[in-house]
Amino acid sequence: ILLNCAGKEDEDYIKPQLHVKNPHLDSMEEDILYHFSLGTKTHNLPEMFGDVKFVCVGGSGNRMRAFAKFMHQELGLPGNTDEITDICEGTDRYSMYKVGPVLSISHGMGVPSISIMLHEMIKLLHHAGCHDVNLFRLGTSGGVGISPGTVVITDKAVDCFFRPQFEQVILGKVIIRSTELDADLAEELSQYASEMPELPTVIGKTMCTSDFYEGQGRLDGALCSFSTEEKVEYLRKAYNAGVRNIEMESTVFAAMCHMCNLKAAVVCVTLLNRFDGDQISTPHEVLTEYQQRPQNLVAHFIKKRLGLI
Ligand code: R2B
Ligand code: URA
């Protein structure tokens, strides 16, 4: 008897299969995951990663190492957390840590950076024969009309026109992909969040932009071609369209996971309310505590799934 996605016993349950959508992959003798410094000939990927069930990604390498150490404690795994080493130490592009069934990977800032990481991470899961994997992006973001420190669970990732789609230029043509996320996963996360009073959470749309400054309507970049009123009008429009936070990776994360049949969720804490300003002036200790919040929620989720709580 297998456990289904909800962790229940189910005889008829069919494991969700990861679909890499590339017919060329099978005919390749070797696949070098260049930015991870891993490969199918140099590493035994099924042995190293075959048991992965949860992949958590976030911008910074240090934050993802901290998350791995935190998960090590939360899962009550044996050994010292100082022994958790970067699997991608052969490259300084991304960092990767594995603790039990949890893989914690950094993706850098912005769509191109996370997209490269996702191609290689999804192929890694494929080569390792993983199935039934849940993916989470644990991030930071700017809040739209909500208090700093609020965690936003994304129901739809939208582009800067508030459309639930991701545009990729392929061979000179614009290809549009859906940014649908797993509704059950978001609902389950929201349910757990409601049991955690120290974790203010909302479900809302997340807008993904390709710039932190002008692209997010900031007045404090090196360039700014619009007025304060125009900024506020844009944020107001975003709010009315259901946008509750702004970050820089969610659309491609959602689109690639959706295409590959991976259940995915985006959980980002807001560092400021963009109606109140643009600069992130919150003290470091407060920001550190905020950044722990998505981690706490996802750790709770993982422990529930593993039957530890
Ligand atoms: C959130 O924070 C970063 C910009 O400061 C970016 O990676 C994002 O999505
Ligand atoms: N990350 C973003 O992309 N925007 C913010 O305002 C804060 C963090």
Side-chain angles (χ1 to χ4, degrees):
I1 292 185
L2 292 165
L3 295 186
N4 68 18
C5 300
K8 308 251 163 58
E9 285 187 1
D10 186 349
E11 277 181 51
D12 303 322
Y13 180 61
I14 300 163
K15 292 177 193 167
Q17 290 300 319
L18 162 66
H19 296 149
V20 288
K21 297 251 172 73
N22 178 1
H24 305 283
L25 266 189
D26 286 344
S27 56
M28 282 165 50
E29 216 186 294
E30 177 179 13
D31 189 9
I32 296 168
L33 307 175
Y34 168 63
H35 302 86
F36 287 164
S37 198
L38 294 172
T40 51
K41 279 205 167 155
T42 46
H43 298 81
N44 184 341
L45 299 178
E47 192 179 287
M48 289 172 75
F49 300 103
D51 63 341
V52 168
K53 292 291 175 208
F54 308 95
V55 179
C56 301
V57 304
S60 116
N62 282 336
R63 182 150 44 84
M64 297 323 286
R65 184 181 54 232
F67 177 68
K69 290 188 174 189
F70 174 59
M71 280 313 307
H72 185 273
Q73 287 166 358
E74 291 288 296
L75 299 181
L77 296 174
N80 192 320
T81 56
D82 293 336
E83 286 157 20
I84 301 168
T85 53
D86 185 358
I87 298 167
C88 298
E89 62 184 359
T91 164
D92 55 9
R93 296 296 185 186
Y94 305 110
S95 302
M96 183 189 290
Y97 304 91
K98 184 175 179 300
V99 282
V102 181
L103 201 56
S104 176
I105 317 175
S106 70
H107 58 58
M109 286 191 284
V111 162
S113 182
I114 194 175
S115 145
I116 296 167
M117 190 283 283
L118 289 171
H119 276 285
E120 296 183 12
M121 184 267 283
I122 293 168
K123 289 196 296 172
L124 183 149
L125 297 177
H126 168 73
H127 293 311
C130 298
H131 49 80
D132 229 352
V133 181
N134 289 309
L135 266 92
F136 301 92
R137 163 162 148 72
L138 314 178
T140 57
S141 61
V144 183
I146 56 177
S147 303
T150 307
V151 172
V152 179
I153 300 170
T154 306
D155 66 350
K156 278 198 172 69
V158 298
D159 66 11
C160 51
F161 306 103
F162 320 133
R163 302 174 302 195
Q165 63 184 49
F166 172 66
E167 283 184 0
Q168 173 87 296
V169 180
I170 302 173
L171 305 182
K173 294 195 189 80
V174 177
I175 303 297
I176 295 174
R177 288 178 173 157
S178 157
T179 54
E180 202 176 308
L181 286 158
D182 192 80
D184 295 338
L185 208 52
E187 185 48 48
E188 195 176 337
L189 283 164
S190 157
Q191 173 63 40
Y192 298 152
S194 68
E195 297 163 11
M196 301 166 81
E198 71 290 359
L199 214 94
T201 309
V202 298
I203 291 198
K205 290 184 187 162
T206 295
M207 178 163 79
C208 178
T209 68
S210 54
D211 174 46
F212 181 82
Y213 287 99
E214 287 181 291
Q216 295 189 6
R218 278 189 156 80
L219 301 162
D220 62 342
L223 305 173
C224 185
S225 54
F226 47 85
S227 66
T228 307
E229 292 70 32
E230 286 170 315
K231 165 199 158 176
V232 171
E233 188 192 344
Y234 181 62
L235 291 181
R236 179 83 39 218
K237 275 194 190 143
Y239 185 87
N240 291 339
V243 171
R244 292 295 174 270
N245 65 341
I246 311 175
E247 46 77 272
M248 300 180 60
E249 294 86 12
S250 58
T251 50
V252 72
F253 174 77
M256 288 183 70
C257 291
H258 182 65
M259 293 271 306
C260 297
N261 201 34
L262 284 161
K263 288 180 189 291
V266 178
V267 184
C268 292
V269 71
T270 59
L271 304 182
L272 75 173
N273 178 0
R274 289 297 314 290
F275 284 112
D276 296 337
D278 296 331
Q279 297 247 306
I280 300 174
S281 51
T282 313
H284 181 75
E285 317 79 70
V286 179
L287 290 179
T288 307
E289 192 275 315
Y290 284 174
Q291 291 183 29
Q292 184 67 36
R293 294 180 181 188
Q295 301 188 9
N296 289 343
L297 179 56
V298 170
H300 190 85
F301 178 98
I302 292 173
K303 287 194 292 177
K304 283 259 188 190
R305 276 295 170 91
L306 294 175
L308 297 174
I309 47 174

